């Protein structure tokens, strides 16, 4: 079974009155395979989370906010 998920993520700085978006990504699609729908869904979310995390960390590093 193959399942595809779509993920969006946004990191905001809320120190001031109006929030400011510091980094964002999406929609990013990732797929996962498994023996049934539940396993495939979990694998798809895991793959998407890994890619989103890498992208957001790269954006934060590029801005010197690590």
């Amino acid at each position: 079974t193959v399942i595809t998920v779509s993920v969006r993520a946004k990191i905001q700085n809320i120190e001031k009155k109006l929030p400011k978006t510091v980094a964002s990504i999406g929609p990013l699609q990732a797929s996962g395979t498994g023996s049934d729908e539940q396993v495939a869904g979990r694998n798809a979310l895991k793959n998407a989370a890994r890619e989103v995390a890498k992208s957001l960390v790269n954006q934060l590093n590029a801005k010197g906010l690590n």
Side-chain angles (χ1 to χ4, degrees):
T1 303
V2 178
I3 291 186
T4 302
V5 296
S6 179
V7 180
R8 293 176 193 231
K10 182 178 356 180
I11 297 176
Q12 291 186 323
N13 181 349
I14 57 170
E15 290 178 330
K16 297 183 180 174
K17 212 171 200 178
L18 294 174
K20 179 182 176 186
T21 300
V22 178
S24 65
I25 185 171
L28 177 131
Q29 289 187 341
S31 59
T33 59
S35 56
D36 58 25
E37 287 183 8
Q38 191 174 26
V39 174
R42 244 182 287 152
N43 288 336
L45 287 173
K46 184 171 69 172
N47 294 340
R50 184 176 297 124
E51 292 303 315
V52 166
K54 285 179 187 177
S55 177
L56 290 174
V57 167
N58 288 339
Q59 288 180 41
L60 292 174
N61 286 338
K63 293 181 179 183
L65 299 173
N66 47 0

